[in-house]
Amino acid sequence: MTLIAIEEHWVTPDLTSALKALPRPDESLAFNEMGDHLHRLEDLGKDRIAVMDAQGIDISVLALTPPGTQPLSPEHARNLSRAANDTAIAAVAKNPTRFRALSTLPMSSPEHIVDELVRAKDMGHVGTMVYGRCRDRFLDDPAYDELFAAAAELGQPVFIHPQIPSDAVRDASYRGLGELTDLALATFGWGWHLDTATAALRLILRGTFDRHPALQIVLGHWGEMLLFWLDRADSLSRLASLQRPVSDYVRTNFHITASGMFNPALLHHALSVTTIDRLIFSTDYPFQHPTQDEINTFLGHFTSDEDREKFSSANAEALFGLAL
């Protein structure tokens, strides 16, 4: 059985340096340097492949680690996005049977986004990864509508990955508990996921999928909380003058990946909301470290070989157009 992981992170030293040089660096960058994370993130060769072999993963889809280039000035974002996309596709070319890649885009320079998406697609990137906002601009801002139009036309799925909430939101909701607890609450403990779900829901409410019905979005962490609140979110559809219920867009325009959270209860809930054709395997490398035994145990919770194969590889192959 082929196993494809679609949310496997990496970074370049140049990008790390640029992000750290910002007047107010993203505090979540500290996670990239915990333990051996930085070595794992920067390695696009034998060490990463050795981990894949140990886990039983055949193909990793490389994706730049958060916050990507989004906090950078337009010029820096353009230059480092291009450099990152060139580096990722060179790694794919060196190990074409083991790697594919998602592009990164200069979101702080909206007029250059589509050009870079097209360039990256022409080089071989199978999709793109963005974050829920660029500074204070949400993804549903009209400045980004050309991105979603182009992604739909080009067949480039857009993975919306978590990033730390804005300073204003953190000040309102995620401070006062102690420095480390504040950061954890704003990131992996809660804020990352709520922020991403909000960005995805705003895209739906903005009518993005009515304008671009072929657009496909990927959410990690079993849907970033959104799957658990669709009964209430559906009540927004009429007020936003949508053509369909919110839950219908989730079932037809969204794919959901596990992000290394191999809890069968989350799988069962996802299957109560959407279909097996919308669920995809990932480990969120290197921030999660599932063993091959843990992966196999989780895969054992699928009720049929066909469903297991869809989750393990077939859905990723179809969504990203992977030629294996």
Side-chain angles (χ1 to χ4, degrees), residues 158 204 208-210 212-218 244 247-255 278 319:
V158 179
I204 296 172
T208 305
F209 303 98
D210 292 338
H212 313 299
L215 177 64
Q216 295 298 311
I217 299 292
V218 184
R244 297 180 279 148
S247 58
D248 197 39
Y249 296 99
V250 170
R251 283 189 285 269
T252 59
N253 295 96
F254 285 76
H255 288 73
R278 293 274 153 179
L319 176 63

Side-chain angles (χ1 to χ4, degrees), residues 107 110-111 113-114 137-147:
M107 301 297 284
E111 63 272 28
I113 292 172
V114 171
R137 178 183 279 162
F138 269 104
L139 279 181
D140 63 282
D141 189 285
Y144 294 136
D145 199 57
E146 289 185 9
L147 160 62

